[in-house]
Amino acid sequence: LTYFRQISGQWTKEIVWDNSFSVWTQDMALDANDSPHILLVQDNSIYHSFKNGSNWTINTIPLPYESGEISVKMDMYGNPQFIIPANVGLHYGYRENNTWKMQAVGGASGYPGHDNDWALVNGQYPCIAYYDQVLYSLRFDAQDTSSGGLRVSNSGPVEMNENAIFKASPIKGCNQR
């Protein structure tokens, strides 16, 4: 895995992980210090690579299921959060007290595929839009901030008659919660 960045108009190349294996999917986000956090999926694991001073650190997050494309965002505290579709539904992952946690998103059934988008409201609370391929509906889920927990609550389906193709920005719906 190689990371490229531009410094003073010159491109530099850093080897993050000197290991030849096929990567299924990856995504990257920068924290408040412009340090990269790369999440990549290979086999049944997510690998979180990030800069620790001048060195790269790699943590492994086990996945107990087949998964699809990962999407990562940095929260206001500098922690990566991600969503990942799987053959058992859509999942949301986050770091809490240096421990990775994952949970199923609301009513995602079957394999929600790649038709999803999300945002962090106020840099902290996930708001997720996705197409439920079993119920043939567009769904929006958001974190229940009233409980103070990291529970994702289902806001229910939006009826649709055709396959959904969307690039959702679910911020409006989440700000009203």
mmCIF file of all heavy atoms in Angstrom, residues 73-122:
data_model
loop_
_atom_site.group_PDB
_atom_site.id
_atom_site.type_symbol
_atom_site.label_atom_id
_atom_site.label_comp_id
_atom_site.label_asym_id
_atom_site.label_seq_id
_atom_site.Cartn_x
_atom_site.Cartn_y
_atom_site.Cartn_z
ATOM 1 N N LYS A 73 -15.055 8.484 7.280
ATOM 2 C CA LYS A 73 -15.086 9.911 7.588
ATOM 3 C C LYS A 73 -14.448 10.091 8.956
ATOM 4 O O LYS A 73 -14.493 9.204 9.794
ATOM 5 C CB LYS A 73 -16.512 10.429 7.604
ATOM 6 C CG LYS A 73 -17.215 10.209 6.270
ATOM 7 C CD LYS A 73 -18.431 11.037 6.125
ATOM 8 C CE LYS A 73 -19.168 10.763 4.829
ATOM 9 N NZ LYS A 73 -18.445 10.922 3.620
ATOM 10 N N MET A 74 -13.862 11.269 9.174
ATOM 11 C CA MET A 74 -13.253 11.578 10.466
ATOM 12 C C MET A 74 -14.250 12.385 11.298
ATOM 13 O O MET A 74 -14.835 13.343 10.807
ATOM 14 C CB MET A 74 -11.979 12.398 10.279
ATOM 15 C CG MET A 74 -10.901 11.681 9.486
ATOM 16 S SD MET A 74 -10.346 10.135 10.192
ATOM 17 C CE MET A 74 -9.478 10.732 11.617
ATOM 18 N N ASP A 75 -14.428 12.000 12.570
ATOM 19 C CA ASP A 75 -15.318 12.772 13.427
ATOM 20 C C ASP A 75 -14.567 13.974 14.010
ATOM 21 O O ASP A 75 -13.371 14.158 13.787
ATOM 22 C CB ASP A 75 -15.967 11.901 14.505
ATOM 23 C CG ASP A 75 -15.001 11.379 15.552
ATOM 24 O OD1 ASP A 75 -13.904 11.943 15.719
ATOM 25 O OD2 ASP A 75 -15.352 10.396 16.223
ATOM 26 N N MET A 76 -15.269 14.791 14.757
ATOM 27 C CA MET A 76 -14.684 16.020 15.294
ATOM 28 C C MET A 76 -13.574 15.755 16.311
ATOM 29 O O MET A 76 -12.813 16.658 16.654
ATOM 30 C CB MET A 76 -15.774 16.895 15.912
ATOM 31 C CG MET A 76 -16.478 16.255 17.086
ATOM 32 S SD MET A 76 -17.954 17.142 17.612
ATOM 33 C CE MET A 76 -17.257 18.508 18.476
ATOM 34 N N TYR A 77 -13.457 14.531 16.796
ATOM 35 C CA TYR A 77 -12.426 14.179 17.772
ATOM 36 C C TYR A 77 -11.205 13.530 17.122
ATOM 37 O O TYR A 77 -10.300 13.084 17.811
ATOM 38 C CB TYR A 77 -13.008 13.242 18.833
ATOM 39 C CG TYR A 77 -14.209 13.822 19.518
ATOM 40 C CD1 TYR A 77 -15.471 13.313 19.279
ATOM 41 C CD2 TYR A 77 -14.086 14.906 20.376
ATOM 42 C CE1 TYR A 77 -16.589 13.868 19.899
ATOM 43 C CE2 TYR A 77 -15.192 15.471 20.992
ATOM 44 C CZ TYR A 77 -16.445 14.942 20.743
ATOM 45 O OH TYR A 77 -17.536 15.496 21.351
ATOM 46 N N GLY A 78 -11.213 13.442 15.791
ATOM 47 C CA GLY A 78 -10.085 12.844 15.081
ATOM 48 C C GLY A 78 -10.149 11.341 14.979
ATOM 49 O O GLY A 78 -9.152 10.701 14.664
ATOM 50 N N ASN A 79 -11.313 10.760 15.238
ATOM 51 C CA ASN A 79 -11.486 9.309 15.134
ATOM 52 C C ASN A 79 -12.178 8.953 13.827
ATOM 53 O O ASN A 79 -13.151 9.593 13.444
ATOM 54 C CB ASN A 79 -12.347 8.779 16.289
ATOM 55 C CG ASN A 79 -11.656 8.911 17.612
ATOM 56 O OD1 ASN A 79 -10.505 8.538 17.754
ATOM 57 N ND2 ASN A 79 -12.356 9.462 18.593
ATOM 58 N N PRO A 80 -11.688 7.917 13.144
ATOM 59 C CA PRO A 80 -12.375 7.483 11.933
ATOM 60 C C PRO A 80 -13.666 6.747 12.265
ATOM 61 O O PRO A 80 -13.752 6.028 13.257
ATOM 62 C CB PRO A 80 -11.371 6.548 11.265
ATOM 63 C CG PRO A 80 -10.425 6.141 12.334
ATOM 64 C CD PRO A 80 -10.471 7.171 13.410
ATOM 65 N N GLN A 81 -14.676 6.983 11.442
ATOM 66 C CA GLN A 81 -15.928 6.237 11.482
ATOM 67 C C GLN A 81 -16.154 5.728 10.068
ATOM 68 O O GLN A 81 -15.684 6.332 9.112
ATOM 69 C CB GLN A 81 -17.088 7.129 11.924
ATOM 70 C CG GLN A 81 -16.930 7.658 13.329
ATOM 71 C CD GLN A 81 -18.163 8.424 13.804
ATOM 72 O OE1 GLN A 81 -19.267 8.227 13.304
ATOM 73 N NE2 GLN A 81 -17.970 9.304 14.773
ATOM 74 N N PHE A 82 -16.857 4.602 9.928
ATOM 75 C CA PHE A 82 -17.055 4.060 8.588
ATOM 76 C C PHE A 82 -18.395 3.367 8.469
ATOM 77 O O PHE A 82 -19.026 3.009 9.463
ATOM 78 C CB PHE A 82 -15.921 3.082 8.215
ATOM 79 C CG PHE A 82 -15.843 1.853 9.073
ATOM 80 C CD1 PHE A 82 -16.567 0.713 8.746
ATOM 81 C CD2 PHE A 82 -15.028 1.822 10.196
ATOM 82 C CE1 PHE A 82 -16.490 -0.425 9.538
ATOM 83 C CE2 PHE A 82 -14.940 0.695 10.986
ATOM 84 C CZ PHE A 82 -15.679 -0.436 10.658
ATOM 85 N N ILE A 83 -18.837 3.221 7.226
ATOM 86 C CA ILE A 83 -19.962 2.338 6.913
ATOM 87 C C ILE A 83 -19.453 1.340 5.894
ATOM 88 O O ILE A 83 -18.555 1.622 5.101
ATOM 89 C CB ILE A 83 -21.216 3.079 6.393
ATOM 90 C CG1 ILE A 83 -20.933 3.841 5.105
ATOM 91 C CG2 ILE A 83 -21.789 3.982 7.460
ATOM 92 C CD1 ILE A 83 -22.199 4.355 4.438
ATOM 93 N N ILE A 84 -20.029 0.140 5.949
ATOM 94 C CA ILE A 84 -19.631 -0.913 5.020
ATOM 95 C C ILE A 84 -20.826 -1.839 4.782
ATOM 96 O O ILE A 84 -21.438 -2.331 5.725
ATOM 97 C CB ILE A 84 -18.392 -1.688 5.548
ATOM 98 C CG1 ILE A 84 -17.867 -2.654 4.499
ATOM 99 C CG2 ILE A 84 -18.675 -2.366 6.877
ATOM 100 C CD1 ILE A 84 -16.474 -3.177 4.790
ATOM 101 N N PRO A 85 -21.218 -2.027 3.517
ATOM 102 C CA PRO A 85 -22.282 -2.985 3.236
ATOM 103 C C PRO A 85 -21.739 -4.406 3.327
ATOM 104 O O PRO A 85 -20.567 -4.648 3.044
ATOM 105 C CB PRO A 85 -22.703 -2.640 1.809
ATOM 106 C CG PRO A 85 -21.524 -1.972 1.208
ATOM 107 C CD PRO A 85 -20.757 -1.333 2.332
ATOM 108 N N ALA A 86 -22.580 -5.309 3.747
ATOM 109 C CA ALA A 86 -22.181 -6.708 3.880
ATOM 110 C C ALA A 86 -23.343 -7.597 3.450
ATOM 111 O O ALA A 86 -24.463 -7.128 3.266
ATOM 112 C CB ALA A 86 -21.800 -7.008 5.326
ATOM 113 N N ASN A 87 -23.071 -8.876 3.326
ATOM 114 C CA ASN A 87 -24.136 -9.794 2.930
ATOM 115 C C ASN A 87 -25.177 -9.972 4.033
ATOM 116 O O ASN A 87 -26.198 -10.606 3.822
ATOM 117 C CB ASN A 87 -23.553 -11.147 2.508
ATOM 118 C CG ASN A 87 -22.781 -11.822 3.626
ATOM 119 O OD1 ASN A 87 -22.481 -11.207 4.648
ATOM 120 N ND2 ASN A 87 -22.447 -13.080 3.426
ATOM 121 N N VAL A 88 -24.943 -9.396 5.198
ATOM 122 C CA VAL A 88 -25.918 -9.460 6.298
ATOM 123 C C VAL A 88 -26.474 -8.074 6.622
ATOM 124 O O VAL A 88 -27.060 -7.870 7.669
ATOM 125 C CB VAL A 88 -25.289 -10.083 7.572
ATOM 126 C CG1 VAL A 88 -24.966 -11.543 7.339
ATOM 127 C CG2 VAL A 88 -24.050 -9.319 8.002
ATOM 128 N N GLY A 89 -26.312 -7.101 5.734
ATOM 129 C CA GLY A 89 -26.839 -5.756 5.938
ATOM 130 C C GLY A 89 -25.745 -4.710 6.007
ATOM 131 O O GLY A 89 -24.558 -5.009 5.927
ATOM 132 N N LEU A 90 -26.150 -3.476 6.170
ATOM 133 C CA LEU A 90 -25.224 -2.351 6.233
ATOM 134 C C LEU A 90 -24.747 -2.181 7.673
ATOM 135 O O LEU A 90 -25.521 -2.313 8.611
ATOM 136 C CB LEU A 90 -25.954 -1.083 5.771
ATOM 137 C CG LEU A 90 -25.136 0.178 5.573
ATOM 138 C CD1 LEU A 90 -24.085 -0.020 4.483
ATOM 139 C CD2 LEU A 90 -26.055 1.334 5.193
ATOM 140 N N HIS A 91 -23.458 -1.887 7.852
ATOM 141 C CA HIS A 91 -22.892 -1.737 9.194
ATOM 142 C C HIS A 91 -22.171 -0.407 9.339
ATOM 143 O O HIS A 91 -21.601 0.108 8.385
ATOM 144 C CB HIS A 91 -21.930 -2.890 9.499
ATOM 145 C CG HIS A 91 -22.637 -4.154 9.810
ATOM 146 N ND1 HIS A 91 -23.205 -4.927 8.841
ATOM 147 C CD2 HIS A 91 -22.896 -4.753 10.985
ATOM 148 C CE1 HIS A 91 -23.780 -5.975 9.408
ATOM 149 N NE2 HIS A 91 -23.604 -5.892 10.708
ATOM 150 N N TYR A 92 -22.216 0.112 10.551
ATOM 151 C CA TYR A 92 -21.572 1.361 10.924
ATOM 152 C C TYR A 92 -20.500 1.033 11.960
ATOM 153 O O TYR A 92 -20.746 0.277 12.896
ATOM 154 C CB TYR A 92 -22.632 2.310 11.508
ATOM 155 C CG TYR A 92 -22.091 3.437 12.353
ATOM 156 C CD1 TYR A 92 -21.328 4.457 11.790
ATOM 157 C CD2 TYR A 92 -22.374 3.496 13.712
ATOM 158 C CE1 TYR A 92 -20.853 5.493 12.578
ATOM 159 C CE2 TYR A 92 -21.900 4.537 14.503
ATOM 160 C CZ TYR A 92 -21.142 5.525 13.921
ATOM 161 O OH TYR A 92 -20.672 6.552 14.697
ATOM 162 N N GLY A 93 -19.287 1.543 11.763
ATOM 163 C CA GLY A 93 -18.197 1.274 12.691
ATOM 164 C C GLY A 93 -17.584 2.551 13.214
ATOM 165 O O GLY A 93 -17.561 3.576 12.524
ATOM 166 N N TYR A 94 -17.098 2.508 14.429
ATOM 167 C CA TYR A 94 -16.501 3.676 15.067
ATOM 168 C C TYR A 94 -15.519 3.220 16.129
ATOM 169 O O TYR A 94 -15.516 2.059 16.539
ATOM 170 C CB TYR A 94 -17.580 4.571 15.691
ATOM 171 C CG TYR A 94 -18.432 3.872 16.712
ATOM 172 C CD1 TYR A 94 -18.138 3.941 18.065
ATOM 173 C CD2 TYR A 94 -19.528 3.106 16.324
ATOM 174 C CE1 TYR A 94 -18.905 3.289 19.003
ATOM 175 C CE2 TYR A 94 -20.301 2.444 17.255
ATOM 176 C CZ TYR A 94 -19.986 2.539 18.595
ATOM 177 O OH TYR A 94 -20.746 1.885 19.528
ATOM 178 N N ARG A 95 -14.678 4.146 16.557
ATOM 179 C CA ARG A 95 -13.712 3.863 17.617
ATOM 180 C C ARG A 95 -14.156 4.575 18.876
ATOM 181 O O ARG A 95 -14.464 5.755 18.866
ATOM 182 C CB ARG A 95 -12.333 4.372 17.212
ATOM 183 C CG ARG A 95 -11.343 3.264 17.077
ATOM 184 C CD ARG A 95 -10.078 3.770 16.541
ATOM 185 N NE ARG A 95 -9.161 3.980 17.658
ATOM 186 C CZ ARG A 95 -7.922 4.334 17.505
ATOM 187 N NH1 ARG A 95 -7.457 4.545 16.310
ATOM 188 N NH2 ARG A 95 -7.144 4.487 18.528
ATOM 189 N N GLU A 96 -14.155 3.823 19.978
ATOM 190 C CA GLU A 96 -14.521 4.383 21.274
ATOM 191 C C GLU A 96 -13.527 3.859 22.302
ATOM 192 O O GLU A 96 -13.377 2.648 22.449
ATOM 193 C CB GLU A 96 -15.950 3.958 21.632
ATOM 194 C CG GLU A 96 -16.451 4.529 22.930
ATOM 195 C CD GLU A 96 -17.883 4.114 23.191
ATOM 196 O OE1 GLU A 96 -18.099 2.945 23.585
ATOM 197 O OE2 GLU A 96 -18.785 4.931 22.963
ATOM 198 N N ASN A 97 -12.832 4.765 22.974
ATOM 199 C CA ASN A 97 -11.812 4.377 23.961
ATOM 200 C C ASN A 97 -10.802 3.393 23.376
ATOM 201 O O ASN A 97 -10.498 2.368 23.975
ATOM 202 C CB ASN A 97 -12.469 3.805 25.216
ATOM 203 C CG ASN A 97 -13.384 4.793 25.880
ATOM 204 O OD1 ASN A 97 -13.091 5.990 25.919
ATOM 205 N ND2 ASN A 97 -14.507 4.315 26.376
ATOM 206 N N ASN A 98 -10.316 3.686 22.174
ATOM 207 C CA ASN A 98 -9.323 2.864 21.475
ATOM 208 C C ASN A 98 -9.807 1.457 21.133
ATOM 209 O O ASN A 98 -9.002 0.563 20.895
ATOM 210 C CB ASN A 98 -8.007 2.795 22.253
ATOM 211 C CG ASN A 98 -7.300 4.138 22.245
ATOM 212 O OD1 ASN A 98 -7.307 4.831 21.232
ATOM 213 N ND2 ASN A 98 -6.718 4.503 23.363
ATOM 214 N N THR A 99 -11.117 1.250 21.139
ATOM 215 C CA THR A 99 -11.697 -0.043 20.766
ATOM 216 C C THR A 99 -12.641 0.174 19.587
ATOM 217 O O THR A 99 -13.447 1.095 19.589
ATOM 218 C CB THR A 99 -12.492 -0.641 21.947
ATOM 219 O OG1 THR A 99 -11.608 -0.804 23.052
ATOM 220 C CG2 THR A 99 -13.084 -1.982 21.574
ATOM 221 N N TRP A 100 -12.517 -0.687 18.572
ATOM 222 C CA TRP A 100 -13.412 -0.607 17.416
ATOM 223 C C TRP A 100 -14.730 -1.291 17.742
ATOM 224 O O TRP A 100 -14.753 -2.379 18.300
ATOM 225 C CB TRP A 100 -12.769 -1.278 16.211
ATOM 226 C CG TRP A 100 -11.706 -0.443 15.599
ATOM 227 C CD1 TRP A 100 -10.360 -0.572 15.787
ATOM 228 C CD2 TRP A 100 -11.880 0.665 14.726
ATOM 229 N NE1 TRP A 100 -9.697 0.387 15.069
ATOM 230 C CE2 TRP A 100 -10.602 1.165 14.411
ATOM 231 C CE3 TRP A 100 -12.997 1.295 14.183
ATOM 232 C CZ2 TRP A 100 -10.405 2.254 13.563
ATOM 233 C CZ3 TRP A 100 -12.803 2.375 13.342
ATOM 234 C CH2 TRP A 100 -11.530 2.846 13.046
ATOM 235 N N LYS A 101 -15.824 -0.642 17.360
ATOM 236 C CA LYS A 101 -17.163 -1.204 17.548
ATOM 237 C C LYS A 101 -17.905 -1.115 16.224
ATOM 238 O O LYS A 101 -17.701 -0.190 15.460
ATOM 239 C CB LYS A 101 -17.912 -0.433 18.627
ATOM 240 C CG LYS A 101 -17.212 -0.526 19.973
ATOM 241 C CD LYS A 101 -18.026 0.103 21.060
ATOM 242 C CE LYS A 101 -17.262 -0.073 22.378
ATOM 243 N NZ LYS A 101 -18.059 0.280 23.503
ATOM 244 N N MET A 102 -18.772 -2.109 15.981
ATOM 245 C CA MET A 102 -19.596 -2.105 14.778
ATOM 246 C C MET A 102 -21.018 -2.483 15.159
ATOM 247 O O MET A 102 -21.231 -3.249 16.095
ATOM 248 C CB MET A 102 -19.063 -3.087 13.745
ATOM 249 C CG MET A 102 -17.875 -2.549 13.007
ATOM 250 S SD MET A 102 -17.509 -3.412 11.485
ATOM 251 C CE MET A 102 -17.324 -5.069 12.002
ATOM 252 N N GLN A 103 -21.950 -1.934 14.410
ATOM 253 C CA GLN A 103 -23.348 -2.275 14.636
ATOM 254 C C GLN A 103 -24.105 -2.226 13.318
ATOM 255 O O GLN A 103 -23.714 -1.517 12.391
ATOM 256 C CB GLN A 103 -23.984 -1.334 15.645
ATOM 257 C CG GLN A 103 -23.988 0.114 15.233
ATOM 258 C CD GLN A 103 -24.385 1.033 16.373
ATOM 259 O OE1 GLN A 103 -23.871 0.918 17.470
ATOM 260 N NE2 GLN A 103 -25.280 1.931 16.099
ATOM 261 N N ALA A 104 -25.174 -3.015 13.249
ATOM 262 C CA ALA A 104 -26.026 -3.020 12.064
ATOM 263 C C ALA A 104 -26.776 -1.694 11.995
ATOM 264 O O ALA A 104 -27.146 -1.122 13.013
ATOM 265 C CB ALA A 104 -27.006 -4.185 12.128
ATOM 266 N N VAL A 105 -26.985 -1.230 10.786
ATOM 267 C CA VAL A 105 -27.733 0.008 10.576
ATOM 268 C C VAL A 105 -29.205 -0.340 10.470
ATOM 269 O O VAL A 105 -29.590 -1.167 9.649
ATOM 270 C CB VAL A 105 -27.245 0.730 9.302
ATOM 271 C CG1 VAL A 105 -28.136 1.918 8.983
ATOM 272 C CG2 VAL A 105 -25.802 1.168 9.467
ATOM 273 N N GLY A 106 -30.018 0.302 11.313
ATOM 274 C CA GLY A 106 -31.479 0.230 11.289
ATOM 275 C C GLY A 106 -32.087 -0.971 10.629
ATOM 276 O O GLY A 106 -31.907 -2.096 11.052
ATOM 277 N N GLY A 107 -32.813 -0.732 9.546
ATOM 278 C CA GLY A 107 -33.573 -1.788 8.894
ATOM 279 C C GLY A 107 -32.906 -2.356 7.671
ATOM 280 O O GLY A 107 -33.589 -2.890 6.814
ATOM 281 N N ALA A 108 -31.598 -2.233 7.539
ATOM 282 C CA ALA A 108 -30.928 -2.755 6.349
ATOM 283 C C ALA A 108 -31.043 -4.267 6.309
ATOM 284 O O ALA A 108 -30.606 -4.942 7.216
ATOM 285 C CB ALA A 108 -29.457 -2.335 6.344
ATOM 286 N N SER A 109 -31.676 -4.772 5.276
ATOM 287 C CA SER A 109 -31.827 -6.213 5.154
ATOM 288 C C SER A 109 -31.189 -6.669 3.853
ATOM 289 O O SER A 109 -31.060 -5.893 2.913
ATOM 290 C CB SER A 109 -33.308 -6.591 5.198
ATOM 291 O OG SER A 109 -34.018 -5.870 4.225
ATOM 292 N N GLY A 110 -30.810 -7.926 3.808
ATOM 293 C CA GLY A 110 -30.165 -8.429 2.608
ATOM 294 C C GLY A 110 -28.836 -7.742 2.383
ATOM 295 O O GLY A 110 -28.160 -7.337 3.322
ATOM 296 N N TYR A 111 -28.453 -7.597 1.142
ATOM 297 C CA TYR A 111 -27.193 -6.951 0.801
ATOM 298 C C TYR A 111 -27.502 -5.578 0.216
ATOM 299 O O TYR A 111 -27.965 -5.471 -0.914
ATOM 300 C CB TYR A 111 -26.428 -7.811 -0.207
ATOM 301 C CG TYR A 111 -25.037 -7.308 -0.474
ATOM 302 C CD1 TYR A 111 -24.005 -7.609 0.398
ATOM 303 C CD2 TYR A 111 -24.765 -6.516 -1.579
ATOM 304 C CE1 TYR A 111 -22.722 -7.145 0.174
ATOM 305 C CE2 TYR A 111 -23.490 -6.055 -1.814
ATOM 306 C CZ TYR A 111 -22.470 -6.376 -0.933
ATOM 307 O OH TYR A 111 -21.210 -5.912 -1.166
ATOM 308 N N PRO A 112 -27.282 -4.488 0.976
ATOM 309 C CA PRO A 112 -27.655 -3.172 0.486
ATOM 310 C C PRO A 112 -26.780 -2.661 -0.654
ATOM 311 O O PRO A 112 -27.064 -1.634 -1.221
ATOM 312 C CB PRO A 112 -27.529 -2.277 1.718
ATOM 313 C CG PRO A 112 -26.685 -2.996 2.663
ATOM 314 C CD PRO A 112 -26.763 -4.454 2.326
ATOM 315 N N GLY A 113 -25.747 -3.370 -1.003
ATOM 316 C CA GLY A 113 -24.926 -3.010 -2.146
ATOM 317 C C GLY A 113 -24.191 -1.700 -1.964
ATOM 318 O O GLY A 113 -23.849 -1.292 -0.871
ATOM 319 N N HIS A 114 -23.933 -1.036 -3.070
ATOM 320 C CA HIS A 114 -23.124 0.175 -3.055
ATOM 321 C C HIS A 114 -23.984 1.432 -3.067
ATOM 322 O O HIS A 114 -23.463 2.526 -3.182
ATOM 323 C CB HIS A 114 -22.182 0.180 -4.252
ATOM 324 C CG HIS A 114 -21.317 -1.040 -4.291
ATOM 325 N ND1 HIS A 114 -20.286 -1.248 -3.398
ATOM 326 C CD2 HIS A 114 -21.345 -2.127 -5.082
ATOM 327 C CE1 HIS A 114 -19.711 -2.400 -3.655
ATOM 328 N NE2 HIS A 114 -20.332 -2.958 -4.663
ATOM 329 N N ASP A 115 -25.279 1.305 -3.009
ATOM 330 C CA ASP A 115 -26.177 2.458 -3.066
ATOM 331 C C ASP A 115 -26.382 3.038 -1.686
ATOM 332 O O ASP A 115 -27.426 2.886 -1.063
ATOM 333 C CB ASP A 115 -27.527 2.051 -3.671
ATOM 334 C CG ASP A 115 -27.372 1.551 -5.104
ATOM 335 O OD1 ASP A 115 -26.489 2.077 -5.811
ATOM 336 O OD2 ASP A 115 -28.119 0.661 -5.497
ATOM 337 N N ASN A 116 -25.350 3.720 -1.174
ATOM 338 C CA ASN A 116 -25.475 4.351 0.128
ATOM 339 C C ASN A 116 -24.607 5.598 0.167
ATOM 340 O O ASN A 116 -23.679 5.751 -0.620
ATOM 341 C CB ASN A 116 -25.111 3.380 1.259
ATOM 342 C CG ASN A 116 -23.713 2.844 1.121
ATOM 343 O OD1 ASN A 116 -22.743 3.582 1.148
ATOM 344 N ND2 ASN A 116 -23.600 1.530 0.953
ATOM 345 N N ASP A 117 -24.937 6.488 1.063
ATOM 346 C CA ASP A 117 -24.149 7.687 1.282
ATOM 347 C C ASP A 117 -24.389 8.109 2.714
ATOM 348 O O ASP A 117 -25.388 7.720 3.325
ATOM 349 C CB ASP A 117 -24.548 8.793 0.311
ATOM 350 C CG ASP A 117 -23.487 9.893 0.240
ATOM 351 O OD1 ASP A 117 -22.347 9.693 0.697
ATOM 352 O OD2 ASP A 117 -23.812 10.980 -0.264
ATOM 353 N N TRP A 118 -23.486 8.905 3.259
ATOM 354 C CA TRP A 118 -23.649 9.288 4.650
ATOM 355 C C TRP A 118 -22.866 10.552 4.961
ATOM 356 O O TRP A 118 -22.040 10.994 4.171
ATOM 357 C CB TRP A 118 -23.266 8.142 5.560
ATOM 358 C CG TRP A 118 -21.807 7.794 5.600
ATOM 359 C CD1 TRP A 118 -21.010 7.429 4.548
ATOM 360 C CD2 TRP A 118 -20.986 7.751 6.749
ATOM 361 N NE1 TRP A 118 -19.745 7.157 4.995
ATOM 362 C CE2 TRP A 118 -19.694 7.347 6.341
ATOM 363 C CE3 TRP A 118 -21.200 8.004 8.100
ATOM 364 C CZ2 TRP A 118 -18.639 7.201 7.223
ATOM 365 C CZ3 TRP A 118 -20.145 7.850 8.981
ATOM 366 C CH2 TRP A 118 -18.893 7.450 8.542
ATOM 367 N N ALA A 119 -23.180 11.110 6.111
ATOM 368 C CA ALA A 119 -22.509 12.316 6.593
ATOM 369 C C ALA A 119 -22.439 12.244 8.110
ATOM 370 O O ALA A 119 -23.190 11.495 8.742
ATOM 371 C CB ALA A 119 -23.275 13.556 6.158
ATOM 372 N N LEU A 120 -21.535 13.018 8.688
ATOM 373 C CA LEU A 120 -21.470 13.159 10.142
ATOM 374 C C LEU A 120 -22.049 14.525 10.489
ATOM 375 O O LEU A 120 -21.467 15.554 10.163
ATOM 376 C CB LEU A 120 -20.035 13.039 10.652
ATOM 377 C CG LEU A 120 -19.428 11.649 10.588
ATOM 378 C CD1 LEU A 120 -17.953 11.688 10.976
ATOM 379 C CD2 LEU A 120 -20.184 10.691 11.492
ATOM 380 N N VAL A 121 -23.201 14.527 11.114
ATOM 381 C CA VAL A 121 -23.854 15.768 11.512
ATOM 382 C C VAL A 121 -23.112 16.330 12.715
ATOM 383 O O VAL A 121 -22.797 15.593 13.661
ATOM 384 C CB VAL A 121 -25.349 15.521 11.843
ATOM 385 C CG1 VAL A 121 -26.008 16.795 12.317
ATOM 386 C CG2 VAL A 121 -26.052 14.955 10.625
ATOM 387 N N ASN A 122 -22.807 17.607 12.675
ATOM 388 C CA ASN A 122 -22.019 18.271 13.722
ATOM 389 C C ASN A 122 -20.683 17.577 13.945
ATOM 390 O O ASN A 122 -20.151 17.578 15.047
ATOM 391 C CB ASN A 122 -22.791 18.360 15.037
ATOM 392 C CG ASN A 122 -24.042 19.190 14.901
ATOM 393 O OD1 ASN A 122 -24.075 20.144 14.139
ATOM 394 N ND2 ASN A 122 -25.083 18.819 15.631
#
